[in-house]
Amino acid sequence: MRNWLLLHGAIIVGLLFIIFSNPEHVISKSIAFLAILLLIVNWNMYPLFYTIKKGKNKSLKKRLVQYSRKMMPLHPRIGLAGILLAVIHGWLMWQNTPSLSSTHYSGVFTLGMGLFLLGTGWYRRRKATGRRRKLHLYSAGTFLFLVILHIIL
């Protein structure tokens, strides 16, 4: 889990470098940075539950279970806030950039996948089954991949 957190720290530092190395559209990119922070918070639920399931240290598992019980009710709200920030980012970029590019198209596709991810989360919340859990997990992985692709483009 420590490596997972180090990776996220490196991602945050890299994103800050990307945002402030090019002073163009700083406000919109800052909003996108906040959305990515919320995405990282929500994505950290995966290694948390993986550690609870596969870990050997009982005291660590007990603390993680207590933490996850506090964090899980916030998970849908954090995801919704992240998607709303992504919509604001997309709208600001659409208004401030005159021509369409591959970044615009990847952003629209990524936003659509984010909305699908919200839908799968809502669907899973209504009735939790293994198939719905896997659908939500796979759509979250796909969404994360598309976000990274959008940042690279």
Side-chain angles (χ1 to χ4, degrees), residues 140-153:
T142 306
F143 178 67
L144 184 65
F145 172 75
L146 289 174
V147 166
I148 291 169
L149 184 69
H150 176 67
I151 292 169
I152 291 171
L153 290 177

Side-chain angles (χ1 to χ4, degrees), residues 11 20 26-27 62 66 97 106 116 122 125 135:
I11 289 171
F20 294 113
V26 172
I27 293 172
K62 188 174 181 179
Q66 291 171 351
T97 310
S106 70
F116 179 74
W122 174 79
R125 198 166 171 89
L135 178 64

Side-chain angles (χ1 to χ4, degrees), residues 3 6 13 15 22-24 26 34 58 61 69 78 86 100 112 114 134 137 140 143 149:
N3 293 338
L6 287 174
V13 169
L15 287 174
N22 184 4
E24 198 173 342
V26 172
L34 292 175
K58 288 265 191 194
K61 288 169 71 169
R69 284 187 180 158
I78 291 171
L100 295 177
K134 284 183 181 178
L137 186 63
F143 178 67
L149 184 69

Side-chain angles (χ1 to χ4, degrees), residues 51-63:
T51 304
I52 290 170
K53 183 177 179 182
K54 301 282 185 177
K56 302 209 185 305
N57 188 344
K58 288 265 191 194
S59 63
L60 174 66
K61 288 169 71 169
K62 188 174 181 179
R63 282 185 291 158

